[in-house]
């Protein structure tokens, strides 16, 4: 499965000029305004293992949501909600 995902990410998404953003528990950087621009795809791993090693390339952004020491990790649905809300804030409100 990892090989298939790596091929899809490398051959399809990057060639289509999508920016790959991946939620990672450790080692990622904080959410930054520049991550909101352009066409993006958000990758979320499993709650137990997260994103598998070797899946992301050097041009991909590993993002870590800041947490408190007493709650060092979020479940994947909570992380998805936070990251999607954060990304959607960059889309202009179409209402007058």
């Amino acid at each position: 499965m990892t090989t298939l995902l790596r091929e899809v990410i490398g051959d399809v998404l990057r060639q289509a000029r999508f920016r790959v953003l991946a939620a990672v528990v450790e080692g990622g950087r904080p959410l930054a305004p520049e991550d909101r621009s352009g066409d993006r795809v958000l990758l979320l791993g499993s709650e137990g293992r997260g994103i598998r090693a070797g899946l992301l390339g050097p041009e991909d952004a590993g993002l870590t949501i800041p947490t408190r020491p007493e709650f060092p990790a979020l479940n994947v649905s909570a992380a998805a909600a936070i990251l999607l809300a954060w990304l959607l804030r960059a889309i202009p409100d179409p209402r007058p």
Side-chain angles (χ1 to χ4, degrees):
M1 185 66 147
T2 301
T3 303
L4 176 61
L5 286 173
R6 190 177 304 121
E7 289 175 8
V8 168
I9 291 170
D11 296 342
V12 178
L13 298 175
R14 289 189 195 110
Q15 287 179 12
R17 306 259 185 230
F18 277 91
R19 180 165 166 81
V20 177
L21 306 174
V24 295
V25 176
E26 295 177 342
R29 60 178 174 72
L31 311 175
E34 62 268 15
D35 294 322
R36 290 184 174 148
S37 62
D39 295 325
R40 298 159 313 276
V41 62
L42 179 61
L43 298 180
L44 300 163
S46 67
E47 289 184 24
R49 290 195 225 145
I51 302 286
R52 290 186 181 195
L55 189 59
L56 300 178
E59 65 277 11
D60 300 328
L63 304 175
T64 299
I65 299 169
T67 58
R68 296 178 55 116
E70 58 269 21
F71 301 105
L74 301 168
N75 71 28
V76 72
S77 62
I82 291 167
L83 291 169
L84 289 173
W86 176 77
L87 287 169
L88 290 172
R89 286 179 35 189
I91 298 173
D93 188 346
R95 298 174 287 187

